[in-house]
Amino acid sequence: MEIVIQYFLEVWEILLEAAPYVLFGFFVAGLLKGFLPDDFVARHLGKNTKGAVVKASMFGVPLPLCSCGVIPAAAGLRQQGASKGATTSFMISTPETGVDSIAITYALLDPIMTIFRPVAAFISALTAGTLVDMFPETPKPGKVAFTPLNFAPTTMKKEEVCTSGCCSSKPAGKTVKEKFSAGMQFAFGELIADIGKWLLIGVLIAAVVSTFLPVTFFQEYVGDGLFSMILMVFIGVPMYVCATASTPIAAALALKGLSPGGALVFLLAGPATNAATITVVAQTLGKRVAFIYVSSIAVTSVILGLAVNWVYAKLGLSVFSWVNTVEAHQHGAVGYLSVIILLALVGKQLIGRGGHKHGQSCGCH
């Protein structure tokens, strides 16, 4: 009974620390949705140019799309003329991080990792996209694509893509109030429905790690070098976990001795891909692209992980110390209120949508 109580106390502690930042992240995501034109990304990436890979890597960083929601968005970009490299870059940088996950990274890890995470996402996406574009494309007319609404295979002509309400331009003449309202409805409605459940699952898994894994586990059995990072790659690549949900798990692993580099590898490899995403990439972009997609994520994340370990060592810093400090301080009324609001919002979506099946709405961002 004592261990059960300790487990739920860990769950509550993680929620208290993370909830204010998660809500703030959703708020910023709502502002992006409300005031950024829906066709903004397509207009800049819908060209087969080298600069498109850089833009795709950059634009994907703040967007709050999970590895599920990014699939139809990337398929639309591809049909609009984006190169395979730009499409691949967008599919990597977008799920690896976002404004919501950046906020929770600061809450549960530390300021250095908060900076490194989006930078690493950009680098890994740029690397993969560049490698993909090094191979010549052989366009095939009438190629099977996935529609933004239901992932059902359909043969679409270029001019037919992105005509639904999900991706068409917003009606002209919207007031600031209307844009703000639409953005908040998206952030605290649809976006909560898409990742809220997975965030809670991530918190529950993090609490399991915090409660049952020995404090010296990684030092004694894994170490803090290359092996731990390779292990994180094998755990993260096939696993479905969104950027926000991966953060409490990484923080819990850091408390058990996982190195900063190992934590970064998990934060990159986990959200960027999973078994379903790999299958879709192989079908829509080709098996060769799928191989580059997975291998570049694995290799680049490990290299970046080693670089992060070097930086922390040079600065004499430790994620473990920061996380311990975070857990030690007292939580005020804002923390408690944020937890109540977050749980209420997630609960409302889960109950109102029958538990929310991911494929039903995550493409309509």
Side-chain angles (χ1 to χ4, degrees):
M1 190 62 184
E2 183 178 343
I3 196 72
V4 173
I5 295 174
Q6 183 182 346
Y7 171 76
F8 283 105
L9 287 175
E10 287 287 346
V11 171
W12 181 247
E13 187 68 27
I14 295 171
L15 285 172
L16 280 174
E17 190 59 45
Y21 295 90
V22 172
L23 293 177
F24 175 74
F26 282 132
F27 175 76
V28 176
L31 293 180
L32 288 175
K33 176 66 176 178
F35 293 94
L36 196 67
D38 286 338
D39 62 348
F40 178 81
V41 175
R43 281 191 284 110
H44 286 272
L45 305 187
K47 297 178 182 178
N48 191 354
T49 63
K50 293 181 180 179
V53 174
V54 178
K55 290 182 179 179
S57 304
M58 188 180 301
F59 289 167
V61 168
L63 295 181
L65 283 174
C66 61
S67 57
C68 167
V70 75
I71 292 172
L77 292 176
R78 178 66 180 144
Q79 288 295 325
Q80 290 189 22
S83 69
K84 287 186 177 181
T87 306
T88 302
S89 295
F90 186 77
M91 289 189 69
I92 292 176
S93 67
T94 304
E96 279 187 340
T97 187
V99 288
D100 50 343
S101 60
I102 292 172
I104 196 175
T105 302
Y106 180 80
L108 297 181
L109 289 169
D110 69 0
I112 295 179
M113 192 65 74
T114 304
I115 297 171
F116 260 109
R117 187 177 187 179
V119 171
F122 172 79
I123 293 173
S124 62
L126 181 63
T127 302
T130 302
L131 289 174
V132 168
D133 270 352
M134 288 175 65
F135 295 90
E137 294 189 72
T138 53
K140 296 179 181 179
K143 187 177 180 179
V144 171
F146 286 83
T147 65
L149 287 177
N150 55 24
F151 307 132
T154 58
T155 302
M156 297 188 294
K157 296 179 181 178
K158 183 176 177 180
E159 62 270 17
E160 294 174 341
V161 177
C162 239
T163 57
S164 71
C166 292
C167 47
S168 59
S169 297
K170 296 179 181 180
K174 272 195 173 183
T175 65
V176 172
K177 182 179 179 181
E178 288 172 335
K179 291 179 180 180
F180 179 82
S181 177
M184 293 305 108
Q185 287 177 16
F186 161 77
F188 295 102
E190 189 177 328
L191 188 56
I192 286 277
D194 278 341
I195 70 175
K197 178 178 70 174
W198 300 106
L199 172 61
L200 294 184
I201 290 174
V203 170
L204 294 176
I205 294 174
V208 169
V209 173
S210 297
T211 305
F212 298 100
L213 208 64
V215 175
T216 58
F217 176 80
F218 280 95
Q219 287 96 333
E220 291 184 5
Y221 302 104
V222 180
D224 59 359
L226 184 61
F227 177 69
S228 67
M229 299 179 199
I230 295 175
L231 178 63
M232 289 300 105
V233 169
F234 279 100
I235 292 174
V237 166
M239 182 180 181
Y240 181 85
V241 57
C242 68
T244 304
S246 67
T247 312
I249 300 175
L253 292 173
L255 275 175
K256 303 304 177 180
L258 181 65
S259 67
L264 180 66
V265 170
F266 180 76
L267 291 173
L268 294 176
T273 186
N274 56 65
T277 307
I278 295 170
T279 302
V280 172
V281 172
Q283 290 176 341
T284 57
L285 300 178
K287 293 181 180 179
R288 182 168 56 186
V289 173
F291 174 78
I292 296 174
Y293 173 80
V294 175
S295 59
S296 63
I297 289 172
V299 174
T300 306
S301 62
V302 169
I303 293 174
L304 291 169
L306 292 171
V308 167
N309 273 354
W310 180 84
V311 170
Y312 273 85
K314 283 293 182 181
L315 296 176
L317 299 175
S318 167
V319 173
F320 178 84
S321 300
W322 176 271
V323 175
N324 269 336
T325 303
V326 164
E327 290 203 339
H329 78 261
Q330 297 295 319
H331 301 286
V334 173
Y336 292 99
L337 183 60
S338 297
V339 172
I340 294 171
I341 293 173
L342 180 61
L343 293 178
L345 289 170
V346 175
K348 177 184 177 183
Q349 293 299 327
L350 291 178
I351 295 172
R353 303 173 74 157
H356 178 59
K357 293 182 180 179
H358 221 71
Q360 292 176 343
S361 68
C362 63
C364 192
H365 288 184

